[in-house]
Amino acid sequence: MTTTWESTTTLPEESMAPMAAYDEIADWYETEFLARTPGDGHPLSLGGLLRDLLGEGDGTCLEIGCGTGVHAALVRELGWTPVGIDLSEGMLRHARGRLPVAQADAERLPLRDESVRAVIAMMVHTDMPGYPAVVREAARVLQPGGTFVHVGVHPCFCGGFADFSDPEAAVIRPGYLSSGYWTKESWTNKGVRDKVGAVHRPLPELLHTFLDAGLTLAGFAEGGAPTPIVLAVKGTKRA
């Protein structure tokens, strides 16, 4: 069975890997975690960041690690045609009513070179130990002049080393400078990290991921308080 997105983008929808970590929490994520939302489909209110950095456009916008597809409505509102890939069949079960999807490994995207005009990665880089390879794949499938938007937890202020128990005074403990470690340590049991774990990369390493993939950094934004919870980065593929 194939899912055809447009004439240049045809992906097989098939089982490609052992059960992904999110399979076990997919229903909780859809019915409980996303229910704690300010109105734009995500508890961290990411719509403004995505709107500002992606902007209006047309053609295919690929979401890497699309999860339950909660961002598809905004992508469509901006004029793009959203499509998604995710490793978790459990998450895709919820996403299929929101956008065309395929089960795929983000480090080996089943798309042709230069086949899409935009790629977004929303809150996924800490789920992907091979995120540098994922960004290289995003750059590969982007058309020249195309846009890549990364929105993720802020590496300086979010991680196993950060405690947000007091919403007015985040506590940052040692651990930020350690690179590439995975942890389930979390200040809350109502989030994602304590359930599936997360990989940490300091800010310079994360930014070099985009440069090493050949992208030109074109915009930045932060969101959250009292310290930024989310960092957004816009990159473009050189024409």
Side-chain angles (χ1 to χ4, degrees):
M1 175 180 178
T2 60
T3 300
T4 302
W5 295 345
E6 63 176 27
S7 60
T8 59
T9 315
T10 303
L11 282 83
E13 188 169 340
E14 58 186 2
S15 179
M16 299 185 64
M19 186 175 70
Y22 274 79
D23 283 349
E24 295 185 356
I25 67 166
D27 292 341
W28 167 85
Y29 188 92
E30 171 71 12
T31 61
E32 297 185 39
F33 182 71
L34 292 180
R36 303 197 299 269
T37 173
D40 72 348
H42 195 283
L44 297 181
S45 189
L46 308 177
L49 296 173
L50 181 59
R51 184 184 299 274
D52 290 346
L53 293 188
L54 178 60
E56 296 183 354
D58 54 40
T60 298
C61 176
L62 171 68
E63 182 173 359
I64 293 175
C66 66
T68 64
V70 69
H71 304 293
L74 176 56
V75 172
R76 196 174 285 114
E77 180 185 326
L78 292 170
W80 300 93
T81 300
V83 296
I85 67 102
D86 202 288
L87 194 61
S88 169
E89 172 58 29
M91 299 291 269
L92 292 177
R93 178 163 41 83
H94 294 286
R96 287 190 175 94
R98 294 172 173 146
L99 75 168
V101 297
Q103 188 178 19
D105 184 344
E107 294 185 35
R108 293 181 292 274
L109 293 175
L111 283 82
R112 290 195 289 266
D113 295 355
E114 301 183 356
S115 58
V116 299
R117 298 189 63 182
V119 179
I120 62 175
M122 304 294 293
M123 304 302 291
V124 297
H125 83 279
T126 53
D127 296 321
M128 299 176 175
Y131 195 61
V134 173
V135 177
R136 289 195 298 271
E137 277 289 273
R140 177 184 66 79
V141 303
L142 269 179
Q143 296 174 3
T147 297
F148 174 72
V149 175
H150 159 102
V151 180
V153 295
H154 202 303
C156 299
F157 305 108
C158 291
F161 53 84
D163 186 343
F164 283 81
S165 299
D166 181 350
E168 299 301 321
V171 177
I172 306 300
R173 299 189 174 91
Y176 163 76
L177 292 175
S178 299
S179 175
Y181 71 87
W182 178 91
T183 182
K184 280 190 171 183
E185 185 177 353
S186 176
W187 63 274
T188 177
N189 63 1
K190 299 184 183 301
V192 174
R193 182 182 296 109
D194 69 299
K195 296 172 180 61
V196 299
V199 176
H200 171 69
R201 286 186 171 81
L203 181 60
E205 181 179 334
L206 179 62
L207 294 179
H208 274 288
T209 294
F210 309 123
L211 295 177
D212 292 344
L215 297 171
T216 299
L217 298 183
F220 306 92
E222 295 175 312
T227 57
I229 298 172
V230 178
L231 173 70
V233 178
K234 176 180 180 179
T236 59
K237 184 172 181 176
R238 299 183 184 92

